[in-house]
Amino acid sequence: MDDTRRSQRRLAQLNRRDFIRLGAGLGAAVATSTSATHAQSKAVFKASDVQPPGYPTVAATENLGKKLAAATNGRLSLQMFPSMQLGGEKETIEQTQIGAIQMLRVSAGSIGPIVDDINVVNMPFLFKNMAHAERMMDGPIGQDLLDKITAHPNAGLVALCWMNSGARSLYNTKRSIKAIADIKGLKFRVIGNPIFVDMMNALGGNGVAMGYDQVFSALQTGVIDGAENNPPSYVFSNHYTAAKHFSLTEHLIVPEVLVFSKRTWSTLTADDQTLIKKLAREAQMEERVLWNEYEKQAMEKAKAAGCEIVEIADKAPFQNAVKPVWDKYGPKYQDMIARIQSA
């Protein structure tokens, strides 16, 4: 009997210990499950921009993030990585496609090789002026083009809104460009898009496709003679310290696009998606106001630094020179071009 009682006591003790261990395990599992649920409900989105802090696109995106955090009581928020911290445009597009970056401001020039329909806005001298470009961005044409990015099966991006980036002009380290003949033989960096390479070659220069993150050192070392971009990029990325000749050819008005990772987008609720789209539209309008002021500051800073700012009174020779680009690329975009030109 004693042996039987001892066996029963040992069994009871073992059962109690097992129960305690089981209870602890269940408690840990519940805690882990609760923690995981909480983590899933909160999200900090990574946002990237090649431009520095204070740049209009950076500031507008940061403000979007603040509004998003306020509207969701901190459940959704944004962490901005400016100044190419996460890479140049090509690298950050790839990271956004796989969901490593959630929100990205990128040039339509860099989207064109991925979504060919967007190349229509990359045609030289397409827009008459900034007001014309803004009408396109704000209206049904702009929305149709954004939808083409989102619908593209291989892009992996959701296009949220447009942002201003002004008109692009030529700057170089060698000489004044007052007439088209002055471009001849100079090596100009362009965005890695065949349209831009062909455009620069048609103007008489040598188009060199290069990431934005490489431009400043390439200007300093003479790998390139110049580049083409808007005044704020020229000044606030310090290109003006190496390239003192800035000629207002205004050959391109290439808008920016704010995109979201489709991989992350698919995990959001419909209400969160609607909220982000609404805030993006507000960011589009806010960035425009910031842009206009920033562009003025850039031009003033360039002049104060002794840069030569050349006005191009007659742009017809430049427009005529890029006719081969229009002949090559224009026909497949002719319907959208007609819509834009009549806007």
Side-chain angles (χ1 to χ4, degrees), residues 43 45-46 64 68 75-76 78 95-104 143 146-147 149-151 155-161 258-281:
F45 300 137
K46 279 186 179 179
L64 185 160
L68 182 63
R75 182 172 55 83
L76 301 179
L78 205 66
Q95 291 178 66
T96 307
Q97 289 173 320
I98 64 172
I101 292 172
Q102 282 69 51
M103 192 174 287
L104 172 68
Q143 189 58 54
L146 292 176
D147 291 343
I149 298 173
T150 303
L157 305 170
V158 175
L160 297 176
C161 69
L258 187 66
V259 297
F260 203 93
S261 170
K262 189 174 282 186
R263 183 168 291 189
T264 307
W265 187 260
S266 65
T267 68
L268 302 178
T269 66
D271 286 346
D272 286 342
Q273 291 175 353
T274 299
L275 173 63
I276 291 171
K277 285 183 176 178
K278 171 182 173 291
L279 296 179
R281 180 69 174 190

Side-chain angles (χ1 to χ4, degrees), residues 6-71:
R6 278 196 295 272
S7 297
Q8 287 173 339
R9 278 199 299 270
R10 279 198 299 270
L11 182 61
Q13 288 169 349
L14 287 170
N15 286 342
R16 280 196 299 273
R17 282 197 294 269
D18 288 343
F19 180 78
I20 291 168
R21 281 198 297 269
L22 177 62
L26 284 171
V30 170
T32 301
S33 175
T34 303
S35 176
T37 301
H38 183 66
Q40 287 170 3
S41 67
K42 290 193 74 171
V44 179
F45 300 137
K46 279 186 179 179
S48 177
D49 200 306
V50 297
Q51 300 294 357
Y55 198 88
T57 56
V58 174
T61 305
E62 286 177 330
N63 288 342
L64 185 160
K66 291 174 185 175
K67 290 181 183 179
L68 182 63

Side-chain angles (χ1 to χ4, degrees), residues 13 23 29 43 64 131 143 149 153 157 160-161 179 211 224 232-233 238 240 247 261 286 303-304 310 320:
Q13 288 169 349
L64 185 160
Q143 189 58 54
I149 298 173
L157 305 170
L160 297 176
C161 69
I224 55 175
S233 295
N238 289 320
Y240 79 113
S247 298
S261 170
E286 179 183 348
K303 289 173 182 175
V310 179
N320 294 336

